[in-house]
Amino acid sequence: MNLTQSALLPSLARSLTTGGARLLRSVLPWLLAVLLACSTLTARAAEITVSQASIEASDQGYRLSVSYDFELNRGLEDALSRGVPLYFTTEVQLTRRRWYWFDETSVSATRTVRVSYNVLTRQYHTAISGQLQQSFSNLEDAMTLIRRPPRWIIADSNTLKAGDAYQVGLRMRLDVAQLPKPFQVNALNNSDWRLSSDWIEFTYKPE
Protein backbone atom coordinates (compact mmCIF):
# COMPACT_ATOMS: atom_id res chain seq x y z
CA MET A 1 0.00 0.00 0.00
CA ASN A 2 1.48 3.40 -0.99
CA LEU A 3 1.23 6.73 0.81
CA THR A 4 -1.61 7.97 -1.39
CA GLN A 5 -3.78 4.97 -0.53
CA SER A 6 -2.94 5.30 3.17
CA ALA A 7 -4.03 8.91 3.16
CA LEU A 8 -7.29 8.13 1.33
CA LEU A 9 -8.45 5.35 3.67
CA PRO A 10 -9.14 7.51 6.78
CA SER A 11 -10.89 10.08 4.62
CA LEU A 12 -13.06 7.39 3.02
CA ALA A 13 -13.87 5.89 6.45
CA ARG A 14 -14.89 9.30 7.77
CA SER A 15 -17.05 9.85 4.69
CA LEU A 16 -18.78 6.48 5.11
CA THR A 17 -19.30 7.09 8.82
CA THR A 18 -20.78 10.52 8.16
CA GLY A 19 -23.00 9.16 5.40
CA GLY A 20 -24.19 6.28 7.61
CA ALA A 21 -25.02 8.63 10.46
CA ARG A 22 -26.89 10.95 8.08
CA LEU A 23 -28.85 7.97 6.68
CA LEU A 24 -29.64 6.73 10.20
CA ARG A 25 -30.91 10.17 11.23
CA SER A 26 -33.19 10.29 8.18
CA VAL A 27 -34.55 6.75 8.61
CA LEU A 28 -34.92 6.76 12.41
CA PRO A 29 -38.11 8.91 12.52
CA TRP A 30 -39.78 6.56 10.05
CA LEU A 31 -38.79 3.50 12.08
CA LEU A 32 -40.12 5.09 15.26
CA ALA A 33 -43.38 5.95 13.50
CA VAL A 34 -43.82 2.36 12.31
CA LEU A 35 -43.10 0.95 15.77
CA LEU A 36 -45.55 3.41 17.34
CA ALA A 37 -48.24 2.46 14.81
CA CYS A 38 -47.72 -1.24 15.52
CA SER A 39 -47.95 -0.72 19.27
CA THR A 40 -51.11 1.35 18.79
CA LEU A 41 -52.73 -1.39 16.72
CA THR A 42 -51.83 -3.97 19.36
CA ALA A 43 -53.31 -1.81 22.09
CA ARG A 44 -56.51 -1.29 20.12
CA ALA A 45 -56.89 -5.02 19.49
CA ALA A 46 -56.98 -5.89 23.17
CA GLU A 47 -59.85 -3.79 24.53
CA ILE A 48 -61.63 -6.61 26.40
CA THR A 49 -60.20 -7.63 29.77
CA VAL A 50 -60.83 -11.06 31.26
CA SER A 51 -61.45 -10.12 34.90
CA GLN A 52 -62.15 -13.63 36.21
CA ALA A 53 -61.94 -17.17 34.86
CA SER A 54 -62.12 -20.57 36.52
CA ILE A 55 -63.22 -24.15 35.88
CA GLU A 56 -65.22 -26.23 38.32
CA ALA A 57 -66.30 -29.87 38.24
CA SER A 58 -69.97 -30.80 38.49
CA ASP A 59 -72.14 -33.89 37.97
CA GLN A 60 -72.96 -32.64 34.46
CA GLY A 61 -69.34 -31.97 33.49
CA TYR A 62 -66.68 -29.28 33.71
CA ARG A 63 -68.12 -25.78 33.80
CA LEU A 64 -66.37 -22.55 32.83
CA SER A 65 -67.03 -19.42 34.85
CA VAL A 66 -65.78 -16.19 33.27
CA SER A 67 -66.43 -12.45 33.37
CA TYR A 68 -65.18 -9.57 31.24
CA ASP A 69 -64.64 -5.82 31.52
CA PHE A 70 -65.19 -3.67 28.42
CA GLU A 71 -67.37 -0.98 26.87
CA LEU A 72 -68.80 -0.69 23.39
CA ASN A 73 -67.31 2.15 21.38
CA ARG A 74 -69.51 4.72 19.65
CA GLY A 75 -69.32 3.00 16.27
CA LEU A 76 -70.61 -0.31 17.65
CA GLU A 77 -73.39 1.40 19.60
CA ASP A 78 -74.52 3.20 16.45
CA ALA A 79 -74.50 -0.02 14.42
CA LEU A 80 -76.49 -1.80 17.13
CA SER A 81 -79.07 0.99 17.34
CA ARG A 82 -79.64 0.64 13.58
CA GLY A 83 -80.46 -3.03 13.85
CA VAL A 84 -77.06 -4.65 13.22
CA PRO A 85 -76.58 -7.57 15.69
CA LEU A 86 -73.28 -8.01 17.51
CA TYR A 87 -71.77 -11.43 18.17
CA PHE A 88 -69.30 -12.10 20.98
CA THR A 89 -67.55 -15.46 20.81
CA THR A 90 -65.62 -17.05 23.68
CA GLU A 91 -62.98 -19.64 22.74
CA VAL A 92 -61.48 -22.02 25.28
CA GLN A 93 -58.91 -24.79 24.93
CA LEU A 94 -57.48 -27.23 27.45
CA THR A 95 -54.20 -28.89 26.57
CA ARG A 96 -52.23 -31.55 28.46
CA ARG A 97 -48.45 -31.63 28.20
CA ARG A 98 -46.82 -34.88 27.07
CA TRP A 99 -43.07 -35.40 27.35
CA TYR A 100 -42.96 -37.99 24.56
CA TRP A 101 -45.07 -36.19 21.93
CA PHE A 102 -46.85 -32.93 21.11
CA ASP A 103 -49.23 -31.45 23.68
CA GLU A 104 -52.66 -33.06 23.60
CA THR A 105 -55.69 -30.82 23.04
CA SER A 106 -58.24 -32.35 25.39
CA VAL A 107 -60.98 -29.71 25.08
CA SER A 108 -61.78 -27.14 22.41
CA ALA A 109 -65.06 -25.28 22.80
CA THR A 110 -66.70 -22.04 21.68
CA ARG A 111 -69.83 -20.19 22.69
CA THR A 112 -71.40 -17.12 21.10
CA VAL A 113 -73.60 -14.51 22.73
CA ARG A 114 -75.60 -12.29 20.37
CA VAL A 115 -77.04 -8.91 21.26
CA SER A 116 -79.48 -7.10 18.95
CA TYR A 117 -81.88 -4.16 19.02
CA ASN A 118 -85.45 -4.08 17.73
CA VAL A 119 -86.15 -0.57 16.45
CA LEU A 120 -89.93 -1.05 16.53
CA THR A 121 -90.23 -2.36 20.10
CA ARG A 122 -87.15 -0.48 21.37
CA GLN A 123 -86.02 -3.63 23.11
CA TYR A 124 -82.58 -5.22 23.28
CA HIS A 125 -82.43 -8.98 22.86
CA THR A 126 -79.65 -11.37 23.82
CA ALA A 127 -79.25 -15.01 22.86
CA ILE A 128 -76.59 -17.53 23.91
CA SER A 129 -75.68 -19.82 21.03
CA GLY A 130 -79.23 -19.47 19.72
CA GLN A 131 -80.82 -20.95 22.86
CA LEU A 132 -81.22 -18.83 25.98
CA GLN A 133 -82.99 -15.62 24.94
CA GLN A 134 -83.76 -12.58 27.08
CA SER A 135 -85.11 -9.08 26.44
CA PHE A 136 -83.99 -5.82 28.06
CA SER A 137 -85.22 -2.26 27.99
CA ASN A 138 -81.73 -0.72 27.94
CA LEU A 139 -78.31 -1.55 26.53
CA GLU A 140 -76.45 -1.64 29.86
CA ASP A 141 -78.64 -4.46 31.19
CA ALA A 142 -78.24 -6.39 27.93
CA MET A 143 -74.45 -6.05 28.08
CA THR A 144 -74.43 -7.51 31.59
CA LEU A 145 -75.22 -10.92 30.11
CA ILE A 146 -72.21 -10.60 27.82
CA ARG A 147 -69.82 -9.34 30.48
CA ARG A 148 -70.94 -11.93 33.03
CA PRO A 149 -72.41 -14.85 31.06
CA PRO A 150 -73.85 -17.93 32.81
CA ARG A 151 -71.49 -20.83 33.50
CA TRP A 152 -71.36 -23.32 30.68
CA ILE A 153 -70.26 -26.93 30.36
CA ILE A 154 -67.17 -27.17 28.18
CA ALA A 155 -66.51 -30.90 28.64
CA ASP A 156 -68.14 -34.08 29.90
CA SER A 157 -67.16 -35.35 33.34
CA ASN A 158 -65.09 -38.21 31.85
CA THR A 159 -63.05 -36.01 29.48
CA LEU A 160 -60.26 -34.98 31.85
CA LYS A 161 -57.98 -37.21 33.91
CA ALA A 162 -57.89 -36.62 37.66
CA GLY A 163 -54.51 -35.43 38.90
CA ASP A 164 -53.25 -34.29 35.48
CA ALA A 165 -52.43 -30.62 34.93
CA TYR A 166 -54.17 -28.89 32.01
CA GLN A 167 -53.18 -25.58 30.48
CA VAL A 168 -56.30 -23.49 29.86
CA GLY A 169 -56.32 -20.86 27.09
CA LEU A 170 -59.22 -18.43 26.89
CA ARG A 171 -60.26 -15.34 24.97
CA MET A 172 -63.36 -13.45 23.80
CA ARG A 173 -63.72 -11.46 20.61
CA LEU A 174 -66.28 -9.59 18.57
CA ASP A 175 -67.03 -12.15 15.85
CA VAL A 176 -67.43 -10.26 12.58
CA ALA A 177 -67.64 -13.52 10.61
CA GLN A 178 -71.19 -13.99 11.92
CA LEU A 179 -72.41 -10.60 10.71
CA PRO A 180 -74.75 -10.39 7.72
CA LYS A 181 -72.65 -10.59 4.54
CA PRO A 182 -73.07 -6.91 3.48
CA PHE A 183 -71.60 -5.75 6.80
CA GLN A 184 -68.62 -8.11 6.94
CA VAL A 185 -66.45 -6.23 4.42
CA ASN A 186 -67.03 -2.89 6.12
CA ALA A 187 -66.36 -4.39 9.55
CA LEU A 188 -63.06 -5.93 8.45
CA ASN A 189 -61.83 -2.51 7.30
CA ASN A 190 -63.15 -0.55 10.29
CA SER A 191 -61.08 -0.31 13.47
CA ASP A 192 -64.25 0.11 15.56
CA TRP A 193 -64.96 -3.59 14.98
CA ARG A 194 -61.55 -4.85 16.15
CA LEU A 195 -62.63 -5.74 19.65
CA SER A 196 -60.96 -8.65 21.39
CA SER A 197 -59.27 -9.79 24.57
CA ASP A 198 -55.77 -11.20 24.71
CA TRP A 199 -55.44 -14.93 25.20
CA ILE A 200 -55.14 -15.61 28.93
CA GLU A 201 -53.73 -18.82 30.36
CA PHE A 202 -54.03 -20.62 33.67
CA THR A 203 -53.56 -24.15 34.96
CA TYR A 204 -56.40 -26.44 36.01
CA LYS A 205 -55.93 -29.81 37.77
CA PRO A 206 -59.10 -31.91 38.21
CA GLU A 207 -59.31 -33.89 41.43
Side-chain angles (χ1 to χ4, degrees):
M1 181 182 293
N2 56 39
L3 287 175
T4 303
Q5 291 173 323
S6 299
L8 285 175
L9 285 177
S11 176
L12 179 60
R14 284 195 301 273
S15 178
L16 289 173
T17 302
T18 303
R22 197 176 294 124
L23 177 62
L24 182 61
R25 283 196 298 271
S26 64
V27 171
L28 188 58
W30 293 95
L31 291 175
L32 291 175
V34 170
L35 290 173
L36 181 60
C38 291
S39 64
T40 302
L41 286 174
T42 302
R44 288 185 62 87
E47 295 176 341
I48 299 176
T49 301
V50 180
S51 57
Q52 178 272 329
S54 62
I55 295 176
E56 58 186 34
S58 69
D59 293 337
Q60 293 78 28
Y62 294 95
R63 298 190 299 182
L64 174 69
S65 172
V66 62
S67 58
Y68 308 97
D69 286 331
F70 72 100
E71 300 292 337
L72 295 182
N73 57 51
R74 184 61 181 272
L76 294 180
E77 284 192 14
D78 287 346
L80 188 60
S81 66
R82 294 176 184 177
V84 180
L86 304 180
Y87 298 86
F88 294 89
T89 296
T90 293
E91 302 170 75
V92 60
Q93 288 189 343
L94 273 70
T95 57
R96 184 167 61 95
R97 299 192 183 281
R98 296 186 294 190
W99 63 269
Y100 59 90
W101 197 240
F102 297 109
D103 293 349
E104 175 190 56
T105 300
S106 303
V107 175
S108 181
T110 62
R111 184 173 72 170
T112 299
V113 182
R114 184 193 69 195
V115 58
S116 59
Y117 179 68
N118 190 310
V119 180
L120 297 178
T121 63
R122 297 184 179 179
Q123 291 278 311
Y124 291 90
H125 303 281
T126 59
I128 300 178
S129 296
Q131 298 177 357
L132 178 63
Q133 299 188 23
Q134 297 184 38
S135 298
F136 303 90
S137 58
N138 60 76
L139 177 58
E140 187 60 27
D141 289 344
M143 291 301 297
T144 299
L145 185 67
I146 297 172
R147 297 189 185 105
R148 291 185 290 277
R151 294 180 179 88
W152 55 296
I153 296 176
I154 59 173
D156 295 332
S157 56
N158 60 354
T159 303
L160 307 181
K161 295 182 179 180
D164 285 358
Y166 293 85
Q167 194 70 17
V168 184
L170 169 73
R171 76 163 176 172
M172 186 176 76
R173 59 187 170 83
L174 181 63
D175 195 348
V176 298
Q178 298 198 45
L179 290 171
K181 293 294 184 183
F183 296 98
Q184 287 187 20
V185 175
N186 178 62
L188 290 172
N189 295 301
N190 190 334
S191 61
D192 285 346
W193 293 79
R194 296 177 195 143
L195 188 62
S196 173
S197 74
D198 289 326
W199 281 96
I200 68 158
E201 293 187 347
F202 61 94
T203 302
Y204 174 69
K205 182 180 290 188
E207 298 179 354

